[in-house]
Structure formats: structure tokens, C-alpha cells
Amino acid sequence: MKSLKSQKDVVYYILFDRLIVRIGIMFLAFSATIAGLSVPYFQRDFMQHLAASPLLICTLLALLSFVFLQMTNYLGQREALITQKSISEKLYHHILKLKPLTTSHKTVGEMVALYTTDIPSCTMWLEQTIPYALTTAFPLILAPIFLNIIYHIPYGLTLSLIAALVSVNLFLARRQSGFFYFFKILAGQRMGLVNEWIQNIRGLKSLNWIQGFENKIIKKRIEETNNRIAMVTNGQIMNSISSSVTFWLNLAILFYVTYFHNELIGQIDIIAIMWVMGVFLAKPIRQLPWFFTMMFDAWTSVRRLGEFFSLVNLQYHIENENVALKPDETLVVEDLNLVIEGRSVLKNINLTVKKKEVVAVIGPIGSGKSVLFKSLMRETPFTAKRLDQLPHSYLPQEPFILSATLTENIILDYHEAESDADQHAPKAHAALKHAQFDIEHDRITEGLKTMIGERGLNISGGQKQRLNLARLFYNPLPLFLLDDPFSAVDVGTEKKLIDSLFVLKDLGHSFLVITQRYEFLKHCDRVVYLEKGEIKFNGPYSEFMSEVKYQKFIAGDIG
């Protein structure tokens, strides 16, 4: 699947993908116009001779014009749906490739709005703009030619009337597209606020901040409503103009042919002219303001999508990659550095973790501990002489919980049949036991089939953390990267978890653990102390505690 990388790519894909079908839409719209314009010619012939054949031809041409027009709209809508699906898939794969650092300035609401608002909006070029453009432009271009050839009405008159009409509609449509643009922006911002409110409802409630946060949502909703009122008002003005303008066009043409036309035009010809101006051009004129509106609105969505597709990850660089590890090694890092926005975050990191080794990583807040782990996961644009490691699993600071059963949260598979899920039960129970997650003690009423709410709203912080550990213990890999795994558990549970880690250690696994629980350091083979992105100490706990500076850090006097 070819990816989209810029605004230009998005435009090209919408307009020229499946080009044969796009050409077919143009052909149908042109055919509808020619058939529609032919009606007054044969209508005139019928009224002059009152013969059956011109009337039959008029009927067939009107029917053909209608059929071609409906086929144009159908194909446009069908292509819009196909393109929506394709762009959605491309956006999905693009988001999967982006790293957290790349999307740090994008809210969840903004990214959801790309799917819910911008993709449907940009494909309006296919669903409405292109069909409207063709079924509007062809009649507006060909009608003056028809009137000039058949009735010798000068181009200057008809084209000046059409130009005035287009100018008024262009102004109103540009204004309407501005309202649409702010509608999408405000909707994305409101969705982001609501998402944040839902995710943090417990904390907001405990801190008595619900009213204040809801006021922010209400204020944003008021902005949205005011914009919507202005948008609806402007739309009504557009509709009023487009619905009445054919009357004024007819009046202007009739005034001209009555007082200024050099040739005598009979009643039959006047009826034909009125049919062209009042019937044939009625729908194109009604479509005109919305054609411009949809065109401008789609353009703003194309810009937003193009901007997002143009996001690229800053790549990491490793001078010597895939160097074979020694038999007793699970991780080797040499001269790893990370600079973000001109600020040095990690400096000259050199670290080795051996098999069956437990290494603690500690340091002041903001010293680069979590960023180091993300770099080991290749999620940052670091540079290094070497970074090699055995297969590893990662426990982030914020537990990730699915809205699914307890079993599905451990095995990470939504599609398991119930009978298959039962096969995983013994292994899932063992993983939970290693993570000190006791189903009975933790009041999980339906066992492994218990539904866990979105983001774990129906379980505690400690349960979330232990559930994430159970996920890692379900399929234990040679190296564990654990970011603050004891932060949400009590001292007793911490001791039991440490015992579980050492059971896995005895089986050959290694651990690199960020922790703020300094009692854990006594059980570690080594302590790594980070300060301002640099490793200041890397050695046994006894040596670490022999230095006054680190004694004060552990006691909370510094850092």
C-alpha cells in the first residue's frame, strides 16, 4: 500500500486514483448537460409544428439528462466511500508508524477528528464537489453559447450575469467554509477536553475539580454553538439567493429581448429562453453556492490531512548494529546520546546487563530514566555507537488496560473463542499469581471472564499495575524493562513481587528496573544512578551507599 506523505499526495490521490472512473464521472456530467440543453431546441420545434416526434425526443432527452445526472451523483458517492476507506487505512498505518515524541503536540481529539471529520470532508470533492462542478460548470458555460447561437443573445449579457452570480456565491461560500473550518477545529478541541475529562474523572472528583473542568467543556461548546449559528445563518442567506436568482435572471433576459434585442423573438422562443434560464439552470444555480462551500471546506481538510501525513519520525542512528552479544549478556549500550530541541537529554550512556542480573535505575526527577527506557525501545532519535539486546518486554509508567475481559487483557487477543480462552486459563492464572494479582482477594467476581472497563476504570491503580506485570509474565522474554513497577503497591505486595522477579531471575531472565522504592536496591546486583542524563554511578549497592552524596539522595535531602 503506497503511503501518502504530503498535501500534494492527498490531492493527487483524491482526484486521480481510479482515473477511469473519474473520467466516467466527467463524461456522464457532460452528457447530462448536452441532453438537457437539447430539450429547448426540440421543444421549440414541437411548439412550431405540434408534431409528436419532437415531443417524444424532448421527453427522452429530459429522461436521459436525469439518468446521466443521477449516475454522476451515484458514482461520485461510491468513489467517495471507496476513497474514504483507502485514506482511513493509510492514516491508520501512518499513525502506527509514528512515535510518541512525533505526535506529542497532537491531542487524541485532534487525531480522532481526522477520521470522523476530515476524511469524510476531503472526499466531498468526489461525492459532491466534482459532480456539482461538472453539472454546474457545463450548463453555465454552454447555456450562453446556446442562447447566442440560437437566439443571438450577446455573450456579454449572459456572461456578466453569470459572473455576478458566481462572485456573490463565491463570497458567501468562502465565508461558509470559514465557519466549517472553525467547526472542525472547535469540535476536535471539545473532543480532546471530553476525552481528558472521561480519562481523569476519578481524580477530578477526588480533587473537587469536576465543576471547573466541565466549565471548560461548556465554554468550548458555547464557542461551537455560536459558530454553528453563524454558519446556519450564512447558509440560509445562500439558499435564499440561489432559490430566487432564476427569477431575476429571467427578468433581465426578458427585459433585454423586449427593449434592446435587434431581432423579433416570438412567444415560442421566449418560452424556450425562459426554460433555459428558469428550469435548465435552476439546479446548477442552486448547487453553485454549495459547490464552492464544499470545495473550500474539503480543501481545509486536505490541508489538515496533508499536515498530519507529512509528520515523520526523527530516526535513531546506531553506528555498529546487530553485533553479536556475548553468551552472558542481554543488553549492551555504548555511547548513547539524545538531544531533543537542542537540549541534551541523555549523555554518553554506557551500560551492560548480564544474564540473571537485576539492575536498578534511579535518579532525581527529570534525570532521563524513562527517556532512557524509551530509547532502548528505539522510540527516540538517539545516536549510539552500539545498542544490542535480546528480546525484551517493557512495562510503561502508565498501565495500558483494554476494555475487555481479564484473560484478553493478559493474552492481548480479542478474537479468542471461549473454548480457546479456557485453554489459556492455567497459564493466565500462573501469570497473575507471579504478579501478586489474587482474583479472590482483589474482588474480581467473575474470574478470568471479568470485564475490565475502559482504561481500567473499575479496578484500582495497584491492580492495573499488577495486571500489566501479569501480561509480561505470561510470555516472559529474556530481558524485562520495568518503569516504576512498585509505585502503586503496598510494601507487603512489593516484597512478594520482588520474590517473583527473583524466581524469573533464577530461570535466566534479566531485569532493568526504574524505581523510587529504595528498599528494592538492597536486592539488586547493581545500582545505576542517573543525573542530568548522565550515568554518575554504576556499581553494587554497598558501594553506592558508601558515598555521602548518595546517602543524602536516598534520605531525600537532595534530588
Side-chain angles (χ1 to χ4, degrees):
M1 179 185 292
K2 186 178 178 181
S3 61
L4 303 176
K5 297 180 180 178
S6 66
Q7 180 179 307
K8 181 180 177 182
D9 288 348
V10 176
V11 172
Y12 188 87
Y13 188 77
I14 293 171
L15 296 181
F16 298 108
D17 186 57
R18 294 167 57 88
L19 185 59
I20 296 298
V21 183
R22 308 293 195 266
I23 293 172
I25 293 172
M26 292 182 65
F27 174 77
L28 288 169
F30 184 78
S31 300
T33 303
I34 296 298
L37 268 178
S38 301
V39 170
Y41 179 83
F42 288 98
Q43 182 188 53
R44 176 192 184 200
D45 191 34
F46 164 72
M47 296 181 73
Q48 286 176 339
H49 304 99
L50 296 178
S53 58
L55 180 61
L56 180 61
I57 292 172
C58 279
T59 306
L60 289 174
L61 286 171
L63 181 61
L64 275 175
S65 179
F66 175 78
V67 169
F68 287 148
L69 187 61
Q70 295 306 310
M71 289 178 68
T72 302
N73 292 333
Y74 167 74
L75 277 180
Q77 291 173 358
R78 183 172 176 271
E79 286 302 296
L81 291 174
I82 292 171
T83 305
Q84 280 182 33
K85 181 175 183 293
S86 181
I87 293 179
S88 295
E89 289 175 352
K90 292 177 184 295
L91 181 62
Y92 166 74
H93 290 292
H94 183 64
I95 290 174
L96 285 183
K97 293 176 183 176
L98 295 179
K99 296 177 180 179
L101 195 64
T102 309
T103 58
S104 59
H105 62 292
K106 298 288 183 183
T107 67
V108 173
E110 286 178 297
M111 287 190 276
V112 170
L114 292 174
Y115 280 102
T116 59
T117 305
D118 289 307
I119 289 179
S121 178
C122 75
T123 54
M124 291 295 282
W125 276 355
L126 294 173
E127 185 175 349
Q128 290 191 7
T129 303
I130 292 177
Y132 277 18
L134 298 174
T135 57
T136 299
F138 286 147
L140 291 177
I141 293 169
L142 295 178
I145 298 173
F146 175 84
L147 291 174
N148 180 265
I149 291 173
I150 304 299
Y151 302 110
H152 303 108
I153 295 175
Y155 288 120
L157 175 64
T158 52
L159 290 177
S160 61
L161 290 172
I162 289 173
L165 176 66
V166 169
S167 299
V168 171
N169 282 288
L170 192 61
F171 169 74
L172 292 172
R174 189 70 185 88
R175 192 163 179 259
Q176 189 75 352
S177 69
F179 293 132
F180 278 160
Y181 174 75
F182 284 112
F183 167 76
K184 286 183 280 192
I185 294 291
L186 293 170
Q189 291 173 349
R190 176 175 54 82
M191 287 172 65
L193 287 172
V194 171
N195 181 67
E196 190 177 355
W197 175 71
I198 292 172
Q199 290 180 2
N200 300 289
I201 188 70
R202 282 185 174 180
L204 291 170
K205 186 177 180 181
S206 63
L207 295 169
N208 198 28
W209 287 349
I210 286 184
Q211 187 63 50
F213 203 92
E214 288 179 350
N215 286 340
K216 288 177 66 176
I217 299 173
I218 293 169
K219 183 179 179 182
K220 189 60 63 178
R221 187 60 173 170
I222 290 171
E223 286 184 62
E224 219 178 337
T225 303
N226 291 336
N227 183 73
R228 187 185 292 269
I229 291 170
M231 182 171 67
V232 171
T233 303
N234 193 70
Q236 289 174 337
I237 295 172
M238 291 166 57
N239 287 331
S240 298
I241 292 175
S242 61
S243 61
S244 62
V245 74
T246 52
F247 168 79
W248 297 104
L249 287 175
N250 267 317
L251 193 63
I253 294 293
L254 288 175
F255 182 80
Y256 172 81
V257 299
T258 303
Y259 295 103
F260 299 102
H261 200 46
N262 296 327
E263 301 176 18
L264 183 65
I265 295 182
Q267 293 179 349
I268 293 173
D269 293 327
I270 289 175
I271 291 173
I273 292 171
M274 291 179 68
W275 190 93
V276 172
M277 302 303 293
V279 178
F280 177 69
L281 289 181
K283 186 170 183 180
I285 288 171
R286 285 198 303 271
Q287 288 178 168
L288 188 61
W290 295 107
F291 154 67
F292 285 128
T293 300
M294 297 305 171
M295 180 181 70
F296 290 135
D297 181 50
W299 178 248
T300 62
S301 290
V302 166
R303 278 169 40 198
R304 281 161 56 88
L305 282 167
E307 177 192 339
F308 194 84
F309 275 118
S310 66
L311 292 177
V312 293
N313 296 317
L314 295 173
Q315 297 298 321
Y316 62 84
H317 174 70
I318 303 172
E319 290 182 21
N320 303 304
E321 200 167 7
N322 299 320
V323 177
L325 293 166
K326 294 179 181 177
D328 64 337
E329 294 175 336
T330 58
L331 169 69
V332 174
V333 181
E334 292 181 5
D335 196 21
L336 185 147
N337 294 272
L338 174 63
V339 177
I340 298 177
E341 297 179 351
R343 184 172 64 91
S344 182
V345 180
L346 295 173
K347 305 174 190 175
N348 304 319
I349 301 295
N350 293 279
L351 180 63
T352 299
V353 178
K354 298 185 179 296
K355 289 183 179 179
K356 294 188 177 184
E357 191 173 32
V358 177
V359 179
V361 179
I362 63 172
I365 293 172
S367 59
K369 302 183 293 295
S370 294
V371 175
L372 172 60
F373 273 31
K374 289 176 181 176
S375 298
L376 298 180
M377 296 291 294
R378 290 169 167 76
E379 290 291 328
T380 66
F382 65 87
T383 61
K385 285 185 178 179
R386 183 186 176 191
L387 173 56
D388 292 292
Q389 58 209 126
L390 292 180
H392 52 280
S393 52
Y394 170 58
L395 178 76
Q397 274 186 336
E398 295 185 8
F400 168 64
I401 304 294
L402 298 171
S403 179
T405 65
L406 189 58
T407 301
E408 289 167 336
N409 265 283
I410 296 171
I411 66 176
L412 291 180
D413 194 338
Y414 273 114
H415 305 291
E416 290 283 340
E418 190 169 335
S419 57
D420 295 330
D422 290 339
Q423 295 176 6
H424 296 288
K427 192 175 177 182
H429 274 296
L432 287 169
K433 184 177 179 181
H434 274 298
Q436 304 306 313
F437 194 111
D438 189 318
I439 289 178
E440 293 184 6
H441 181 265
D442 284 296
R443 293 175 290 182
I444 304 299
T445 54
E446 298 180 36
L448 292 175
K449 297 178 182 178
T450 301
M451 281 297 300
I452 308 298
E454 185 179 1
R455 294 180 61 86
L457 287 177
N458 57 342
I459 59 176
S460 69
Q463 288 173 317
K464 292 179 193 177
Q465 200 165 50
R466 284 175 282 147
L467 179 54
N468 273 252
L469 278 169
R471 189 181 295 151
L472 271 57
F473 294 159
Y474 182 79
N475 279 316
L477 296 176
L479 175 63
F480 287 84
L481 304 175
L482 308 181
D483 193 344
D484 218 359
F486 312 123
S487 61
V489 298
D490 56 48
V491 175
T493 304
E494 177 188 346
K495 290 178 179 178
K496 293 177 182 178
L497 281 173
I498 291 171
D499 291 339
S500 296
L501 299 189
F502 277 82
V503 169
L504 288 169
K505 174 191 172 181
D506 292 339
L507 294 174
H509 298 275
S510 303
F511 293 85
L512 193 59
V513 185
I514 296 173
T515 184
Q516 305 294 336
R517 296 288 187 89
Y518 300 132
E519 283 296 315
F520 173 66
L521 305 183
K522 299 175 182 177
H523 305 278
C524 298
D525 298 293
R526 278 187 294 130
V527 174
V528 172
Y529 179 81
L530 272 178
E531 186 177 307
K532 296 181 180 180
E534 293 185 84
I535 294 178
K536 297 295 187 179
F537 180 88
N538 183 358
Y541 172 73
S542 56
E543 291 183 16
F544 178 78
M545 291 304 295
S546 66
E547 296 192 30
V548 175
K549 174 185 175 180
Y550 301 131
Q551 291 175 12
K552 289 182 177 181
F553 172 78
I554 296 298
D557 290 344
I558 61 172

